[in-house]
Amino acid sequence: QVQLVESGGGLVQPGGSLRLSCAASGSIFNIYVMGWYRQAPGKRRELVAAVTTSGNANYADSVKGRFTISRDNAKNTVYLQMNSLKPEDTAVYYCYAGTSGGSWGQGTQVTVSS
């Protein structure tokens, strides 16, 4: 298991941008998939984006073209660049590592509001 710590959340106006970071306590080099999920109040947790060790990424339809996931194995960090944010992007964002049993961060709040 690795410990994951997210940062970079906050309050932003619609149309704005944020960059989330997820720092792992250990090497992520051999963790095949790293991802970001989100959970809005009253809703189920959903996958936002995921990236494999080879850099292949997939995205939820709702964020395609606006969000970009990336990983820096040398820094044991995964990023989520979020552009053109919408109020419906408001949620707690969680980092996920595909370790045995799965590892989760504590979450970071993203609020999109004018």
Side-chain angles (χ1 to χ4, degrees):
Q1 298 288 352
V2 293
Q3 302 216 351
L4 305 172
V5 178
E6 302 98 335
S7 61
L11 174 64
V12 63
Q13 291 187 342
S17 298
L18 283 175
R19 187 195 196 201
L20 305 184
S21 298
C22 170
S25 60
S27 174
I28 66 170
F29 183 79
N30 290 318
I31 299 177
Y32 179 67
V33 63
M34 301 286 297
W36 288 94
Y37 285 72
R38 68 186 181 187
Q39 187 168 19
K43 294 188 176 182
R44 299 178 66 176
R45 190 172 296 189
E46 62 175 0
L47 175 67
V48 175
V51 61
T52 67
T53 49
S54 59
N56 291 322
N58 66 284
Y59 299 90
D61 287 342
S62 59
V63 306
K64 282 181 181 177
R66 300 188 298 121
F67 290 11
T68 302
I69 189 172
S70 60
R71 61 191 289 170
D72 186 335
N73 292 334
K75 295 183 178 180
N76 298 322
T77 302
V78 180
Y79 304 97
L80 185 68
Q81 178 66 45
M82 305 186 294
N83 299 328
S84 301
L85 283 160
K86 304 175 181 179
E88 51 263 45
D89 294 318
T90 295
V92 178
Y93 284 70
Y94 297 91
C95 182
Y96 171 80
T99 58
S100 176
S103 298
W104 294 91
Q106 82 289 350
T108 186
Q109 176 70 46
V110 172
T111 302
V112 185
S113 175
S114 56

